Amino acid sequence: MDLFEAIFWFLTAMAIGSALGVILSRNPINSVLFLIATFFAISGHYILMNAQFLAIVNIIVYAGAIMVLFLFVIMLMNLNADVEPQKSRLVQFAGIISGGILFLLILAALRDMKAAGVIEKTATDIGLMKNLGKTLFQNYVFPFEISSVLFLSAMIGAMVIGKKETLVIDKN
Amino acid sequence: MNQLLEISFSSLASSIHSWLSSAIANATILNVVEMAIAGVCLLVFLVPLCFVLGYMERKVAAFMQLRLGPNRVGPKGTLQIVADTVKLIFKEGLTPNASDKFLFNLAPIIVVVVSMLVMAPIAFAKNFQLWDLNIGVLYVTSISSIAVIGILMAGWSSYNKYSLLGAMRSGAQIVSYELSVGLSIISIVIMTGSLKISDIVMSQADGWWIFKGHLPIFISFVIFVIASTAEINRAPFDLSEAEQELTGGFHTEYSGMKFAMFLLAEYINLFVVSAMAATLFLGGWMPFHIGHWEAFNHIMDFIPSSLWFLGKTFAIIFIIMQFRWTFPRLRVDQLLNLEWKYLLPISMVNIILVTIMAIMGWYL
């Protein structure tokens, strides 16, 4: 087992283990921290595939920005394991059945898959910033711009909603 | 004599590499051994660095306030920081009963590890870099944004309202000032056309960006220094540990070595931020050259590149330390106003100017 393979298996175990930690831990803060660990493991996989830009963007956007917002909200609302609402038996039963059906579906889809060894894709350079930028701005420029307009409208929408609430408070 | 002059960090590193590869046949073990050596070198560099910065901070503070500063322990008080470290080692590391014990002990480690990770792509001397990855600058910004998770963890797990308030302030501050730091880095990236640290340094061979980039790059340099001072929670932006209102902020409950680790992380961050400013705007390890004045340029080339890098870095550290004793601490609303109403719009307009300059080739 060379270094590449060792790192691959370590990252895989870390990703799956911390993803399980997200859903199994009772405390919401621990869930968020496990999710951050998952994102780091996935970024490690990107780096193994020589897609450094994707890896870093994954860390900036998810681990750096979105997860910090999650932490903020959870800390401000002071959610703990004690205040976590207990679901009724019926809801738990429904959850088990629907989760089981999803699991069955995934199992059926992956039934014919053969276990392949670890493939080293370090030779590709499609994930490098230059190639990615050229692909985005030449082949996919229209969807790229449309999605940025979508983000802009979401941002303006958030601002408009925020503004309205302060106006209502002022009238009172 | 000629041979003696050619000794440099890069030749040292390559000779160690060739010696190790002749001694160790297995590539995996060779990699691991080299990584371990690099890590030990980094630690050996960082601990004395933090001692020097701690001493420098006290002396600069004393200089700004017309005091003497530490002058009892050792010659001119140089061993004061060693005495402080020994004191911190022998103090009891308390863990509050109601705290989340695992996260409470994990938080200082995360903060220190993150600040050390950022050291990886920094070019200390000519051809001397731990990891010259092709997204170097982006790596630095992204990893340093992880530090806020450690701070939030520390504040939340302490189970203390002051700690939580400090962590919240720090989080809001880091998340907002990151934008200005990013935009001022982007202005250099636009000029250079590369995110690689070595490319950015090489592009300044015929003049540092702060000189050949004219006013727009100077503006982004100023914004970078202000915003990164805020990002590393140093005064006048140290609201997260404002001792008059929060009794220490997010590290209120920490004592002994766990507290020392926050201190260590603060000094490493200070060094990293100054090193980034020196690399991006002041040419990294590039010596100072004046046009085609060959005699002067040769004398400047004679000074080792590592000294150039450290000199520039410490000049910026000196400026940031002076901020601390010059400006009063900002209020929270002033802090956020400064970022969202002044720095961010200025840097956005500045980006447009820089882009026009880069397209028209109006530099140098």
Side-chain angles (χ1 to χ4, degrees):
Chain A
M1 193 195 278
D2 62 344
L3 195 62
F4 183 92
E5 223 166 300
I7 295 174
F8 174 84
W9 287 116
F10 172 73
L11 287 174
T12 310
M14 180 178 160
I16 293 175
S18 42
L20 282 176
V22 175
I23 48 172
L24 291 182
S25 59
R26 308 282 299 175
N27 195 330
I29 293 273
N30 288 349
S31 290
V32 173
L33 295 175
F34 271 124
L35 199 53
I36 292 170
T38 314
F39 286 134
F40 267 92
I42 291 170
S43 291
H45 277 301
Y46 282 137
I47 288 179
L48 282 189
M49 287 187 279
N50 211 17
Q52 300 163 348
F53 180 69
L54 274 182
I56 287 301
V57 166
N58 192 34
I59 289 180
I60 291 183
V61 173
Y62 288 104
I66 294 180
M67 286 302 114
V68 170
L69 281 183
F70 271 40
L71 280 177
F72 252 85
V73 171
I74 290 172
M75 286 177 184
L76 279 178
M77 292 172 73
N78 204 13
L79 295 176
N80 287 319
D82 322 323
V83 292
E84 195 183 356
Q86 293 298 317
K87 303 277 190 309
S88 69
R89 275 290 152 83
L90 192 68
V91 175
Q92 285 180 349
F93 195 64
I96 288 172
I97 288 181
S98 52
I101 289 171
L102 183 67
F103 184 65
L104 213 66
L105 201 70
I106 294 173
L107 216 62
L110 299 179
R111 195 171 48 120
D112 292 335
M113 223 178 62
K114 290 187 192 71
V118 181
I119 303 163
E120 294 196 23
K121 283 213 166 182
T122 45
T124 62
D125 51 1
I126 186 67
L128 297 189
M129 185 143 181
K130 203 170 187 175
N131 302 325
L132 197 74
K134 278 189 176 151
T135 316
L136 270 184
F137 282 102
Q138 281 172 352
N139 302 349
Y140 300 103
V141 68
F142 187 67
F144 182 71
E145 295 296 334
I146 289 291
S147 58
S148 54
V149 169
L150 191 70
F151 278 124
L152 192 67
S153 58
M155 257 187 323
I156 293 172
M159 270 182 217
V160 168
I161 292 170
K163 199 86 182 168
K164 248 182 192 166
E165 275 180 17
T166 54
L167 279 178
V168 170
I169 290 166
D170 283 345
K171 272 176 195 166
N172 291 340
Chain B
M1 188 64 189
N2 246 337
Q3 280 226 311
L4 196 71
L5 281 180
E6 275 169 16
I7 291 178
S8 63
F9 280 114
S10 60
S11 64
L12 204 65
S14 58
S15 59
I16 288 176
H17 174 74
S18 58
W19 179 73
L20 273 179
S21 44
S22 67
I24 302 170
N26 191 333
T28 310
I29 298 174
L30 177 68
N31 263 332
V32 171
V33 167
E34 282 186 348
M35 281 178 198
I37 290 175
V40 169
C41 286
L42 196 61
L43 284 180
V44 167
F45 172 69
L46 283 180
V47 173
L49 177 84
C50 291
F51 281 5
V52 169
L53 286 180
Y55 179 66
M56 183 176 161
E57 172 123 83
R58 281 146 185 261
K59 278 296 185 190
V60 171
F63 161 71
M64 295 296 285
Q65 299 178 330
L66 295 179
R67 291 187 284 114
L68 282 176
N71 58 357
R72 295 298 166 94
V73 190
K76 300 263 177 198
T78 38
L79 295 179
Q80 180 67 48
I81 202 80
V82 179
D84 286 353
T85 313
V86 170
K87 184 196 82 175
L88 280 173
I89 287 172
F90 284 109
K91 269 200 168 181
E92 184 187 2
L94 282 171
T95 307
N97 264 337
S99 67
D100 187 324
K101 303 228 168 24
F102 177 67
L103 291 185
F104 185 82
N105 292 320
L106 187 67
I109 299 173
I110 285 188
V111 172
V112 170
V113 165
V114 162
S115 56
M116 284 182 182
L117 276 179
V118 184
M119 303 285 280
I122 288 175
F124 290 97
K126 196 174 182 176
N127 301 328
F128 189 66
Q129 225 171 330
L130 281 180
W131 189 23
D132 190 17
L133 75 174
N134 62 15
I135 42 159
V137 187
L138 205 58
Y139 171 86
V140 172
T141 50
S142 76
I143 299 296
S144 56
S145 70
I146 300 301
V148 62
I149 290 174
I151 291 177
L152 283 176
M153 226 188 237
W156 182 80
S157 64
S158 299
Y159 206 72
N160 175 332
K161 59 186 168 201
Y162 295 120
S163 301
L164 188 59
L165 277 175
M168 287 293 171
R169 284 184 179 187
S170 166
Q173 183 179 333
I174 293 177
V175 168
S176 30
Y177 276 84
E178 234 166 42
L179 297 170
S180 291
V181 173
L183 284 177
S184 49
I185 289 176
I186 283 175
S187 67
I188 290 294
V189 172
I190 290 172
M191 292 304 238
T192 316
S194 171
L195 289 168
K196 212 172 180 173
I197 298 269
S198 58
D199 284 352
I200 289 175
V201 175
M202 287 315 288
S203 73
Q204 308 182 59
D206 53 350
W208 306 346
W209 278 121
I210 197 164
F211 296 134
K212 67 175 180 178
H214 308 303
L215 194 62
I217 295 290
F218 185 74
I219 293 173
S220 49
F221 173 67
V222 172
I223 289 175
F224 182 85
V225 172
I226 295 174
S228 44
T229 311
E231 214 191 338
I232 57 177
N233 284 327
R234 274 187 70 85
F237 303 104
D238 60 342
L239 285 132
S240 57
E241 45 195 273
E243 62 272 9
Q244 291 89 345
E245 25 189 320
L246 292 181
T247 64
F250 62 89
H251 53 59
T252 304
E253 296 287 350
Y254 285 89
S255 60
M257 271 325 271
K258 284 180 223 158
F259 172 72
M261 283 170 93
F262 281 113
L263 215 59
L264 189 76
E266 189 189 327
Y267 283 129
I268 299 174
N269 283 335
L270 176 62
F271 178 80
V272 166
V273 157
S274 311
M276 282 310 291
T279 308
L280 293 172
F281 299 96
L282 302 181
W285 48 261
M286 278 289 170
F288 180 66
H289 284 174
I290 298 181
H292 296 288
W293 188 6
E294 294 296 330
F296 180 78
N297 293 352
H298 275 302
I299 294 173
M300 290 290 129
D301 284 338
F302 197 71
I303 301 172
S305 54
S306 49
L307 279 190
W308 274 110
F309 174 74
L310 285 178
K312 289 168 190 173
T313 307
F314 271 88
I316 292 170
I317 290 176
F318 186 57
I319 293 173
I320 293 180
M321 281 184 175
Q322 285 188 340
F323 282 170
R324 179 167 185 166
W325 306 101
T326 311
F327 303 109
R329 182 183 297 131
L330 278 77
R331 276 198 326 259
V332 176
D333 58 326
Q334 290 170 334
L335 179 92
L336 293 178
N337 273 350
L338 175 68
E339 164 64 19
W340 293 101
K341 293 193 179 161
Y342 298 98
L343 291 185
L344 193 62
I346 290 174
S347 31
M348 279 179 166
V349 173
N350 200 34
I351 286 287
I352 296 171
L353 289 180
V354 169
T355 315
I356 293 171
M357 259 173 62
I359 292 172
M360 306 297 275
W362 283 344
Y363 52 90
L364 203 73

